[in-house]
Amino acid sequence: MISNFYQIRKKLLTVKLARMFAEVEKSDLMTQYKELNQHLKAQYHRW
């Protein structure tokens, strides 16, 4: 019984974590990060 509880809880937390990462991926902040990262890489290659 307790084992089942923890298995279900682990699945629930895994789903919540996946949803959170999906939301972060779609966020404006992530878009800005990716743009800045590409810009920095381009500058690095110019040197």
Side-chain angles (χ1 to χ4, degrees):
M1 181 89 166
I2 291 177
S3 176
N4 289 341
F5 170 79
Y6 284 112
Q7 287 176 351
I8 292 170
R9 183 176 173 168
K10 183 178 178 181
K11 287 180 184 178
L12 178 63
L13 291 175
T14 302
V15 169
K16 285 183 178 182
L17 186 62
R19 286 181 183 168
M20 183 184 71
F21 278 120
E23 288 298 317
V24 168
E25 277 293 320
K26 292 188 286 185
S27 72
D28 290 336
L29 185 58
M30 182 58 78
T31 302
Q32 290 175 351
Y33 166 76
K34 288 179 181 179
E35 289 173 358
L36 286 171
N37 194 22
Q38 288 175 348
H39 183 70
L40 287 173
K41 284 180 182 179
Q43 284 185 344
Y44 178 76
H45 288 293
R46 289 182 193 158
W47 291 4

